[in-house]
Amino acid sequence: MGAVGNMVKGFIFAAIYAVVTIVIPIIMFSIIVHLPILPFGQLDFTREDYENVRFWIISIGIIICACAFFSHSSPKQSIRKASFALIQVLVNCIYIWAYKFSGALEWTFTVENVAFLTLNVSQMVLVTLGIYLLTIVLRVYDLIDFTINREKIREERIKD
């Protein structure tokens, strides 16, 4: 694939990551915040909490999109591709971890002076980060492999 093809591939993956990490989460939080839970209950989620969640989703999502562009627009088995793939996984970890501190993982539903329900999904974040840890190990291995076998990869590219 030539340089133009790699650039198109990078733009496509950046757009996909933009939709998945920015557009869909913001739409979901907007729906949840404005959702009437019950006629006699309310959601304890302030406008400040919502703005905090939006800020972190957008700011880290843009960084993820940039890393996705550079990772997917790089040639196969290149050190640049491996480096940006590793950076992208690390930024994805920060993105997931930012949900924990933005207040988006604990939702409290209050029924007027009767009861309340708290939904806490922070354990799911820890499981996701565990999976990302394995992905980080894989990306570090790719980076080391592409660095050690640089000459061999270049010879194969010239042959093809």
Side-chain angles (χ1 to χ4, degrees):
M1 186 176 297
V4 174
N6 283 341
M7 295 295 283
V8 170
K9 183 179 170 188
F11 279 121
I12 290 170
F13 275 94
I16 290 170
Y17 275 93
V19 168
V20 171
T21 61
I22 298 172
V23 175
I24 293 174
I26 286 188
I27 290 172
M28 293 303 296
F29 280 113
S30 296
I31 290 171
I32 289 173
V33 166
H34 298 96
L35 183 70
I37 304 301
L38 294 170
F40 50 86
Q42 65 183 7
L43 177 64
D44 293 337
F45 199 72
T46 65
R47 182 76 179 165
E48 294 167 357
D49 292 337
Y50 173 70
E51 292 298 326
N52 191 19
V53 170
R54 272 188 62 209
F55 170 77
W56 286 109
I57 287 173
I58 292 171
S59 61
I60 299 175
I62 289 171
I63 297 170
I64 289 173
C65 293
C67 289
F69 171 77
F70 288 117
S71 174
H72 292 282
S73 67
S74 301
K76 280 184 171 182
Q77 294 183 329
S78 67
I79 296 172
R80 181 176 61 198
K81 183 176 187 77
S83 299
F84 278 110
L86 178 60
I87 293 169
Q88 182 181 356
V89 171
L90 293 173
V91 173
N92 281 340
C93 290
I94 293 169
Y95 179 79
I96 297 295
W97 193 252
Y99 273 107
K100 182 173 179 70
F101 292 111
S102 67
L105 296 182
E106 188 168 327
W107 297 78
T108 302
F109 303 96
T110 304
V111 179
E112 294 180 9
N113 298 324
V114 177
F116 69 93
L117 170 71
T118 302
L119 177 64
N120 189 347
V121 291
S122 60
Q123 293 298 320
M124 193 166 67
V125 167
L126 295 177
V127 171
T128 305
L129 289 175
I131 293 169
Y132 272 117
L133 177 67
L134 298 174
T135 308
I136 290 170
V137 170
L138 180 66
R139 298 295 184 218
V140 168
Y141 173 77
D142 284 344
L143 183 62
I144 293 170
D145 181 39
F146 298 160
T147 304
I148 291 173
N149 297 318
R150 178 188 300 185
E151 295 301 322
K152 187 176 172 182
I153 292 169
R154 284 183 183 167
E155 289 173 5
E156 289 177 6
R157 277 193 202 143
I158 292 171
K159 288 179 185 178
D160 294 335

